[in-house]
């Protein structure tokens, strides 16, 4: 037999998201679809990198992401999810 006790848990809820490049910001509603307009990048640098042991985390809005990708010599591979 198991007995349960109700407890209060504190958790972090995303309130807003801001593009690190242009500063565009969106408040996040209960549905959270607004965050689909942004993309989080999490980069870890390894031993041979000049940024060894650093981790970079940032968010880009889709407009800034597209502008960044347009600077590529070769287009990224695009597939449907
Ligand atoms: Zn942006």
């Amino acid at each position: 037999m198991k007995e349960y006790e109700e407890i209060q848990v504190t958790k972090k809820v995303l309130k807003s998201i801001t593009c690190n490049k242009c500063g565009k910001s969106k408040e996040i509603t209960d549905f959270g679809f607004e965050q689909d307009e942004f993309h989080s990048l999490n980069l870890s640098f390894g031993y041979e990198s000049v940024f060894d042991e650093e981790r970079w985390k940032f968010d880009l809005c889709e407009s800034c992401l597209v502008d960044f990708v347009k600077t590529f010599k070769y287009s990224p591979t695009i597939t449907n999810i």
Side-chain angles (χ1 to χ4, degrees):
M1 179 173 132
K2 296 178 180 175
E3 290 184 51
Y4 293 91
E5 171 184 6
E6 280 192 28
I7 60 170
Q8 300 252 337
V9 177
T10 302
K11 67 177 186 177
K12 290 184 177 182
V13 177
L14 184 62
K15 299 281 290 176
S16 67
I17 189 166
T18 302
C19 175
N20 282 74
K21 185 169 186 277
C22 74
K24 176 183 175 181
S25 187
K26 282 264 183 156
E27 298 295 318
I28 306 299
T29 64
D30 290 341
F31 296 111
F33 295 127
E34 298 82 6
Q35 63 183 311
D36 293 342
E37 300 173 38
F38 294 82
H39 299 273
S40 299
L41 292 106
N42 186 356
L43 308 172
S44 298
F45 296 90
Y47 191 69
E48 289 293 321
S49 170
V50 295
F51 305 108
D52 184 22
E53 295 188 10
E54 288 187 16
R55 178 170 289 158
W56 296 2
K57 292 181 178 182
F58 54 93
D59 300 299
L60 293 177
C61 71
E62 286 188 339
S63 177
C64 288
L65 180 62
V66 169
D67 289 346
F68 175 57
V69 168
K70 284 181 179 176
T71 66
F72 291 5
K73 183 173 184 175
Y74 304 104
S75 298
T77 302
I78 299 173
T79 60
N80 291 326
I81 297 175

